[in-house]
Amino acid sequence: MPLDPYASCPCGSGKKFKWCCAPYYPQIERAIEQDRNGQHETALATIQALTKEHGDKPPVWGYYAQVLYNGGQAEQADEALATALKLNPSFGMAYFLRGMFRQNEGELIGALMLFRKAADAYDPEAHDALTQVHELIFRNELILNRPVAARAALERAVRFQPADVELKQQFDALFGDNSRLPTCARKPYTLRPTAKPVPAAAATGKLIDARKAYDELVKATPDDPAAWFNLGVCRAWLGEQPQAVEALNKSVDLETDDHRAEEAAALVEVLRCGQGMENEADYLEYGVFLPIRDPQPVMAYLQGLEQSRRLLGVQVNQENGTITAMVVDELPSLLAVGGTTLAKVVAKVTLANGVVHLWHPNKASVLKVAGDLRDKVMLAVEQPVEQTRPVNFGDVALEALVYPSQTSDINQAEEKLRDHARHYFEETWAHRPLKGLGGATPLDAVGSKVLRKRLFGAIKFVEDSFVGVVPHKRVGNEAVPMAVYDFAALRHKLGLEYVSAAPPSVNVPADAPAAAETRAPDAPRPQAPAAKRDIGAMNAADLAGLDVASLSGDDLEQAMRAALKLDARDLAVAFAQAGTLKPADAAKPDRYPLYACLIAGATAEGDPARAVAVAEAGAAFDAAHNDGKRANEYGLQKAKLYAKLKDTDKAAAEFDGLIERSPDEPKFYTAAAEAMLGARNGMKALAFAEKGLAKAKQTGNRDLEGHSRELIEAARRLG
């Protein structure tokens, strides 16, 4: 079908076909058709004749390069493109073809760089060429785990071809409301108003020109957070991850509005998950590849996992012969009550092309599964190959999720999921050092003026990643996500409250009808019952504001535990002290947690003598009100404290009492020997270690035997 003479030329020059390649295009089509029919030498002769007749035209050399490459002459093809670029250094088709050559050779990054050069070189009117190159940029950026750059490229492709329904559907599926990408990874970022206007000359429609404009603007207004944000976004659109992170962090540091800082910091978290940013990322995918020698034992192993409910979500693709599933471990039985059993994912697994691929964001977890597989199938798999890659966004908060492996009560299962997520985010994640926070934990970052703003983004990123992958439940005929965790609770727990851009108040329409008054005019207004305080959900400021005198012993213990989880040690000790002063409660006579906190506090302050006094008081209270049920715990505390004080006679007496009361408890023998070694008393250490060895032989406890032998050697060396 002949080309429309007034359509944009397919070479990407932006000129109408009639005034560009039309004079020689029939000969190009003939060469391409000959090449397609396997007549490669004839095609080369046809196109070579054209280079002699129209050798001053860059497109001729571009088409020549394409025919050469199709015939396996890659070097000659590159030379032909070099000739085209000598004639026109901004010839987009040459960069595009070089990009295709590099991509075919597996050079993804090199290809992407050339595609971006082509996108900048093509004329803005060359919509077909620009659509094609931006689609390729989109695909490569997506492979590199750079969704912000991928969205920007696909968005431009859609803009160049608005009538392409399939392209629009692809965009909506990946970046629309039903996308599985986190909101902060797929949202349409908009540029912010800056202190000084951007030069109008920058509005060319090319991202590279916008980036250059903001590069200049931040030099003129280095204290404008909006200018730095816009520069960071432009760099992110262009796939310039490290430079984008640098600009966005500068924006966060300068920003005075918590919500704007949160948006910028969350975008930083997204960018740090892209390929090439592994050294800066807090979330990575740790993979193990095990080539299969004999598939039968491997399949038997997986079937065994499935029968024992350790393999969930099994999917088999018959077309390509792949199997995917999740390897899980059931949680302890204390959580499996009322017919609900929960399991956590310890590895994801794929079988494809004769290889077992295991991966997980926790390295130790996936290595354990890989080791178990190798132990079970022996030589059926080859040596494992480890790999670290950018994380799948759906796996960022994988450790916070558990799945019902069996349940008879979906509401109970949802509550258990909620408990697990709350424990992970508030007690594990909150204490985890993060690279994005300069190595500080979220708990520590709250106290820093700069890190506090970055913490908003760190939480927003994890929140967006988590809500997209929570399990669903059936409500009527609709599957809806379970309400697993409210991240407002985490922000509050950390004391991370927004201090700017408060949400607007609700306006009541003037014509809204007044509520009917049913009470007598003089009657007092009914008061809503006070909600029971959730002390465990309080942050440090909330805890510090509690009226200690009005709290019960149980409340004080809860407050102490909450303070310990927040690393507020002084506050925890204060609650424990107040709790021990409360009158004895027959309903809850055990006060060991309170006394243990006071013992730990005194020890941390370097006052073991005071810690001993606290332990003595606790033991006396326990004997009087709790039938001495905690005698061993207090005895062990006192024994270790006496050893710290170098009073080995009293320490030995306490350990002897423990062993006499509980002769089958192995930890008392080893703890006694270790305490004596710490006190530099080799003779007593040797005596306790030998008792442990004798008990180990008597009971067949190999762990105790091995530990005792090590302690005996250490005691003999000490003398």
Side-chain angles (χ1 to χ4, degrees):
M1 179 179 177
L3 293 176
D4 182 349
Y6 297 101
S8 180
C9 187
C11 75
S13 66
K15 299 176 184 178
K16 301 302 181 186
F17 178 60
K18 181 177 181 178
W19 291 289
C20 191
C21 294
Y24 48 81
Y25 199 74
Q27 198 168 343
I28 290 171
E29 285 188 308
R30 188 180 311 117
I32 292 174
E33 182 64 23
Q34 290 167 343
D35 190 51
R36 187 180 296 119
N37 292 331
Q39 300 171 296
H40 183 66
E41 295 302 324
T42 305
L44 273 179
T46 302
I47 203 86
Q48 282 170 346
L50 196 59
T51 62
K52 294 182 176 65
E53 186 179 352
H54 296 281
D56 60 336
K57 300 293 191 294
V60 169
W61 292 97
Y63 290 118
Y64 181 37
Q66 194 169 357
V67 174
L68 284 167
Y69 189 83
N70 289 346
Q73 297 171 272
E75 291 185 15
Q76 294 89 332
D78 266 326
E79 290 173 6
L81 292 177
T83 302
L85 289 169
K86 283 179 183 177
L87 293 169
N88 179 7
S90 298
F91 184 46
M93 181 184 180
Y95 292 119
F96 172 77
L97 288 173
R98 273 189 172 168
M100 292 298 296
F101 299 164
R102 299 294 87 79
Q103 179 133 321
N104 290 340
E105 294 160 8
E107 295 182 23
L108 192 65
I109 301 295
L112 182 56
M113 293 172 63
L114 288 162
F115 291 148
R116 288 203 175 277
K117 282 188 175 183
D120 294 334
Y122 278 134
D123 187 274
E125 295 302 316
H127 288 188
D128 289 343
L130 285 167
T131 300
Q132 187 177 16
V133 76
H134 278 101
E135 277 196 87
L136 288 165
I137 291 171
F138 150 71
R139 295 184 192 286
N140 284 11
E141 293 288 12
L142 205 60
I143 291 171
L144 295 172
N145 214 37
R146 300 172 179 174
V148 179
R151 178 193 169 109
L154 189 58
E155 196 168 36
R156 294 176 79 78
V158 171
R159 193 180 309 155
F160 290 127
Q161 299 291 342
D164 191 327
V165 176
E166 187 176 334
L167 205 59
K168 183 66 168 62
Q169 288 175 341
Q170 185 179 28
F171 181 87
D172 290 340
L174 283 167
F175 304 108
D177 293 339
N178 295 324
S179 169
R180 292 185 66 83
L181 284 170
T183 300
C184 55
R186 60 179 165 85
K187 66 182 285 189
Y189 285 95
T190 56
L191 302 179
R192 298 173 180 174
T194 51
K196 286 188 177 181
V198 182
T204 63
K206 293 186 177 182
L207 294 178
I208 193 168
D209 290 336
R211 190 255 286 154
K212 289 176 181 176
Y214 285 112
D215 266 326
E216 293 301 317
L217 190 61
V218 295
K219 294 175 185 174
T221 57
D223 295 328
D224 182 7
W228 284 104
F229 176 81
N230 294 353
L231 174 59
V233 169
C234 287
R235 287 174 170 174
W237 285 337
L238 287 165
E240 300 172 354
Q241 308 285 102
Q243 300 90 334
V245 166
E246 181 182 5
L248 290 165
N249 277 335
K250 185 71 173 177
S251 172
V252 173
D253 295 346
L254 293 168
E255 188 55 73
T256 57
D257 181 280
D258 286 342
H259 294 276
R260 287 196 291 265
E262 178 182 69
E263 181 185 42
L267 177 53
V268 167
E269 294 295 317
V270 173
L271 299 178
R272 289 170 60 240
C273 290
Q275 188 163 314
M277 300 292 288
E278 290 85 352
N279 290 336
E280 297 184 37
D282 283 305
Y283 309 97
L284 291 166
E285 177 188 294
Y286 299 98
V288 178
F289 294 85
L290 300 109
I292 300 172
R293 289 196 184 105
D294 183 355
Q296 187 172 352
V298 175
M299 295 304 297
Y301 171 76
L302 293 177
Q303 289 167 0
L305 290 181
E306 188 171 21
Q307 290 168 2
S308 60
R309 296 205 306 269
R310 290 199 60 211
L311 205 65
L312 298 182
V314 179
Q315 295 183 356
V316 180
N317 188 319
Q318 300 288 354
E319 290 184 10
N320 56 25
T322 62
I323 300 173
T324 60
M326 298 183 297
V327 182
V328 301
D329 279 347
E330 288 191 353
L331 293 179
S333 58
L334 286 176
L335 293 178
V337 295
T340 297
T341 304
L342 300 180
K344 64 177 182 178
V345 178
V346 292
K348 293 188 174 182
V349 59
T350 297
L351 267 72
N353 302 318
V355 176
V356 179
H357 176 204
L358 299 163
W359 75 95
H360 196 274
N362 184 309
K363 186 175 182 179
S365 180
V366 73
L367 289 179
K368 184 175 183 297
V369 175
D372 180 64
L373 186 151
R374 292 195 70 217
D375 289 343
K376 295 294 193 302
V377 304
M378 302 298 286
L379 297 178
V381 294
E382 296 180 14
Q383 288 289 330
V385 177
E386 295 182 27
Q387 184 184 66
T388 302
R389 298 176 48 182
V391 72
N392 182 316
F393 289 104
D395 292 340
V396 165
L398 182 61
E399 292 179 276
L401 277 176
V402 288
Y403 294 87
S405 56
Q406 64 173 3
T407 184
S408 58
D409 185 341
I410 193 64
N411 293 323
Q412 183 188 69
E414 189 172 6
E415 182 61 33
K416 296 299 182 183
L417 264 65
R418 210 162 14 245
D419 288 343
H420 181 84
R422 181 169 57 245
H423 181 274
Y424 172 78
F425 289 118
E426 297 179 12
E427 299 181 27
T428 301
W429 187 87
H431 293 264
R432 181 174 290 174
L434 298 175
K435 293 179 182 178
L437 301 176
T441 68
L443 273 169
D444 293 333
V446 178
S448 164
K449 183 178 179 181
V450 172
L451 296 182
R452 172 186 169 277
K453 291 183 287 186
R454 296 189 184 185
L455 179 57
F456 274 114
I459 294 176
K460 178 62 175 170
F461 172 67
V462 173
E463 178 180 11
D464 285 357
S465 301
F466 183 70
V467 298
V469 295
V470 296
H472 285 57
K473 64 179 179 180
R474 182 68 58 181
V475 177
N477 294 325
E478 187 179 359
V480 299
M482 292 183 176
V484 177
Y485 187 68
D486 182 357
F487 282 82
L490 176 60
R491 294 183 184 93
H492 182 73
K493 185 83 172 179
L494 294 172
L496 191 70
E497 311 293 350
Y498 296 103
V499 295
S500 56
S505 57
V506 178
N507 293 317
V508 180
D511 58 350
E517 182 68 83
T518 57
R519 66 183 181 89
D522 297 329
R525 289 185 178 273
Q527 298 294 316
K532 180 172 174 59
R533 292 169 297 183
D534 185 358
I535 294 175
M538 290 183 176
N539 59 32
D542 294 335
L543 292 170
L546 289 173
D547 179 7
V548 174
S550 67
L551 296 179
S552 67
D554 189 45
D555 287 341
L556 287 165
E557 184 175 330
Q558 287 186 52
M560 177 202 73
R561 292 182 186 278
L564 286 173
K565 290 174 184 176
L566 294 169
D567 287 337
R569 303 289 172 178
D570 292 344
L571 202 54
V573 169
F575 287 129
Q577 183 66 53
T580 60
L581 297 176
K582 290 286 182 180
D585 183 355
K588 191 168 183 180
D590 184 8
R591 288 191 176 171
Y592 177 73
L594 299 172
Y595 281 102
C597 179
L598 293 179
I599 292 167
T603 304
E605 291 175 6
D607 193 351
R610 179 159 60 90
V612 169
V614 173
E616 293 282 5
F621 183 90
D622 190 67
H625 302 283
N626 194 36
D627 298 328
K629 293 177 181 177
R630 293 282 196 166
N632 283 353
E633 284 90 338
Y634 286 111
L636 186 58
Q637 291 273 19
K638 287 190 289 180
K640 290 180 178 179
L641 289 167
Y642 283 133
K644 278 183 178 292
L645 290 167
K646 307 298 184 193
D647 192 339
T648 55
D649 288 338
K650 286 186 177 179
E654 289 289 345
F655 279 120
D656 283 335
L658 287 169
I659 291 170
E660 184 178 346
R661 288 194 297 272
S662 304
D664 294 328
E665 178 53 62
K667 72 178 180 181
F668 292 151
Y669 299 94
T670 55
E674 287 169 352
M676 295 305 165
L677 286 171
R680 312 298 294 172
N681 191 319
M683 289 181 61
K684 283 186 167 58
L686 181 61
F688 282 115
E690 287 177 339
K691 286 182 181 179
L693 180 59
K695 175 56 69 173
K697 290 179 177 179
Q698 177 188 343
T699 58
N701 188 329
R702 293 194 175 184
D703 289 337
L704 177 59
E705 181 178 350
H707 197 175
S708 296
R709 290 188 185 281
E710 290 175 3
L711 291 169
I712 287 171
E713 290 179 12
R716 286 173 176 166
R717 285 195 301 269
L718 183 61

